[in-house]
Amino acid sequence: MSKAAIFGCAGPTLSADEAAFFRRADPWGFILFGRNIETPDEVRALVRDLRETVGRPDAPVLVDQEGGRVARLRPPHWRRYPPVRAFAELAARDLESGCEMAWLGARLIAHDLHGLGISVDCAPVLDVPAPGAHDIIGDRAYGETAAMVALLGRAAADGLLAGGIAPVIKHIPGHGRAGADSHEALPVVRAPLAELEAVDFAAFAELADMPIAMTAHVVFAAIDPDRPATLSRRVIAQAVRGTISFKGLLVSDDLSMRALTGGLGERAALAQAAGCDVVLHCNGDPREMADVAEAAGALEGEAAARAAAALARVAQPPESFDQETSARRFDAAFETGFASA
């Protein structure tokens, strides 16, 4: 039975020690970062080798490929994609074109990922940025309102799914008001619950049918003033599974981020106790991964059913797609700032 964990590795190839650890730990999946990515052939080989360690050809392999500043696949081997704010700016002028380009960009990303064997994209971001918030979200947001974020986020998620890639909506129940970057510090949001439900949670509620969501390392004082959402049973039960009604697989954000305190094993145990189905550890540090693997439970029961349902969403071949024509059209529109899209 798989461990309810997702792990990263240190470089573009697996070391013997990493392979042995993954065979023992049997994590549900893996995640790639820029440090793991060189040429397409090398990425395909790494994806294959990771899956071989756990003996599951469908073991999910994740990547953060949003576009803009959050893109692990980059030129010269892969297309450059704009920050998704570009689609919001286009949608403000022409709503239909904005949605079409958001879908097309995601569909092209799906083509890139599928060709490498990567099966899950940690996108779209559904956070609604608030005035004065930290710019960690910034141009990663699909707009300034929950309605626009939901509309364009839906288009992007549908584009990924059409290409055989599972989208991950993030950072549930919302990172847009955070006054700090949770990679570096713990943000505390003090907005009233009614305002959170009307804005921050609303975009996620519109995409509650998506297969996977990633939590926010953010304290929502109106629900739980003591713990960030990732570690808060109250936030997950009341906001994520309650108000938002998300029924899919819930994955923690990276446990090694500085927003969280305590040992890595403690963080993993608290996240699962709070209601995260799977815990994510990204940096490839072997000691930290060992602590997470020891503390994380098996993927079983309802969590296992949600994981299976998520993978079933991408088990079918991608829909028919004229990649070359679509790529030329997208690239031409991108070069003009989508002025003529």
Side-chain angles (χ1 to χ4, degrees), residues 107 110-111 114 158-165 317-319:
R107 182 62 184 82
H111 180 86
H114 195 270
D158 286 348
L160 291 171
L161 285 165
I165 302 298
E319 297 173 10

Side-chain angles (χ1 to χ4, degrees), residues 66 69 83-86 88 125-129 137-144 149:
E66 300 173 14
R69 57 196 158 107
V84 300
R85 177 183 287 168
V125 170
L126 298 184
D127 304 313
V128 181
I137 300 301
D139 62 4
R140 299 166 66 192
Y142 283 91
E144 303 296 326
V149 168

Side-chain angles (χ1 to χ4, degrees), residues 29-32 47 50-51 58-63 117-121:
F30 303 94
I31 188 165
L32 303 183
V47 168
L50 287 167
R51 288 184 170 133
D58 66 343
V61 178
L62 294 71
V63 72
I118 296 170
S119 53
V120 180
D121 190 8

